[in-house]
Amino acid sequence: MLELISVNISLLGRKIIDDLSFNAKDGDIIGLVGVNGAGKTTCIRTICGILEPQSGEIKIAGQNLKDNRTFAQKQIGLLLEGAPLWGDMNAKEYLEFLGNMHALFGNDLKKAIIKAVEITKIQNIFHQKIDTLSKGFKRRVAFAGAILHDPKILILDEPTDGLDPEQRAQALDILAKMGKDRIIIFSTHILGDIGDICNRIIVINNGKKIADETIDEFKKNTSGKLENAFFKLTGGGV
């Protein structure tokens, strides 16, 4: 269970997150959308403990993030847009390094890597230098790193950005399967991604939550199109 309770964040005198509250449970695949500058990435960074709210509370599995940061962050897998990768490593070395950071060693590490590699389908490039990989495979390696420790909450920022149609379809299929027994939240400007796999949508505008509904509810009075619903609420593009 993830809970945000009246979270507020201001940066340089400007309110970025404004009294934001929502909760999520296993099986929720949530599309987090909003116009540029709406506060999506700030929201993601706050849930992960990268940014500290000035007020409000974040709970993960019933534990307050501020008071139990190490426990809470172990429950989270994070893939930020443009996630850094060490290009001189191969995928195997990168995953071993991350595994050690998560206190995975020996047989436990081997099992975790095998599982992440099978899910992301990077067997064929496992020993290839990351710098030589296509953008699509780099995203897959980064995704494998995000799920390596089997997190209960998976948070992704623009997970299909730059992928070709086949790679996008594969990524969404992986997320749909993984979302059955965990919480997935992803920010995207591609509304088709939301419609394809999400069962819930949260819209943020000027740091405020202006919608939190199932996909069917969101489309109900807008000719069945996500784009119509989104433009009606925000007056702008994603």
Side-chain angles (χ1 to χ4, degrees):
M1 172 72 80
L2 168 68
E3 297 177 87
L4 274 70
I5 306 167
S6 299
V7 171
N8 290 278
I9 289 188
S10 295
L11 298 173
L12 300 176
R14 175 173 169 252
K15 203 153 204 178
I16 308 298
I17 299 295
D18 190 354
D19 198 35
L20 180 63
S21 298
F22 69 85
N23 60 64
K25 63 184 186 305
D26 287 355
D28 282 342
I29 305 178
I30 300 171
L32 182 67
V33 299
V35 297
N36 290 333
K40 303 186 298 295
T41 298
T42 301
C43 178
I44 285 173
R45 291 175 182 270
T46 305
I47 293 171
C48 295
I50 298 171
L51 294 175
E52 192 79 36
Q54 278 81 41
S55 63
E57 190 175 9
I58 298 172
K59 291 183 177 181
I60 296 173
Q63 302 291 315
N64 186 293
L65 172 61
K66 185 176 181 180
D67 298 333
N68 301 277
R69 190 174 300 272
T70 300
F71 166 81
Q73 290 181 329
K74 283 182 178 179
Q75 315 306 312
I76 296 173
L78 174 64
L79 177 60
L80 290 173
E81 184 179 10
L85 295 166
W86 287 272
D88 59 340
M89 290 183 176
N90 60 35
K92 176 179 181 291
E93 293 166 337
Y94 174 72
L95 294 177
E96 288 175 340
F97 171 76
L98 288 186
N100 293 162
M101 296 292 288
H102 287 295
L104 291 170
F105 301 96
N107 199 44
D108 289 339
L109 175 59
K110 182 178 179 180
K111 287 180 180 178
I113 290 176
I114 289 172
K115 184 176 180 181
V117 167
E118 288 178 346
I119 289 172
T120 55
K121 296 179 172 59
I122 58 171
Q123 295 92 331
N124 291 340
I125 55 88
F126 190 55
H127 296 284
Q128 192 170 329
K129 292 288 185 183
I130 291 173
D131 260 350
T132 68
L133 300 177
S134 67
K135 183 173 184 178
F137 272 116
K138 286 178 180 177
R139 292 296 280 171
R140 287 202 209 183
V141 171
F143 185 47
I147 66 174
L148 185 64
H149 59 298
D150 195 26
K152 294 300 292 180
I153 301 171
L154 188 56
I155 300 178
L156 314 168
D157 195 4
E158 300 289 353
T160 64
D161 181 50
L163 302 185
D164 64 35
E166 182 179 356
Q167 292 168 338
R168 172 185 171 272
Q170 291 171 345
L172 294 180
D173 181 61
I174 291 169
L175 290 177
K177 291 175 180 175
M178 293 191 67
K180 293 177 181 178
D181 60 355
R182 71 195 73 219
I183 295 166
I184 295 180
I185 299 174
F186 70 87
S187 165
T188 182
H189 66 281
I190 304 171
L191 288 176
D193 288 358
I194 304 295
D196 285 346
I197 71 162
C198 288
N199 51 33
R200 184 173 161 196
I201 185 168
I202 293 176
V203 182
I204 296 178
N205 203 32
N206 295 320
K208 282 183 169 290
K209 182 182 73 177
I210 59 173
D212 181 357
E213 300 169 335
T214 68
I215 294 296
D216 290 340
E217 289 171 339
F218 191 69
K219 296 188 296 186
K220 186 174 181 180
N221 296 315
T222 54
S223 304
K225 293 183 178 180
L226 284 173
E227 290 84 353
N228 291 350
F230 184 79
F231 273 81
K232 183 177 179 180
L233 283 170
T234 66
V238 181

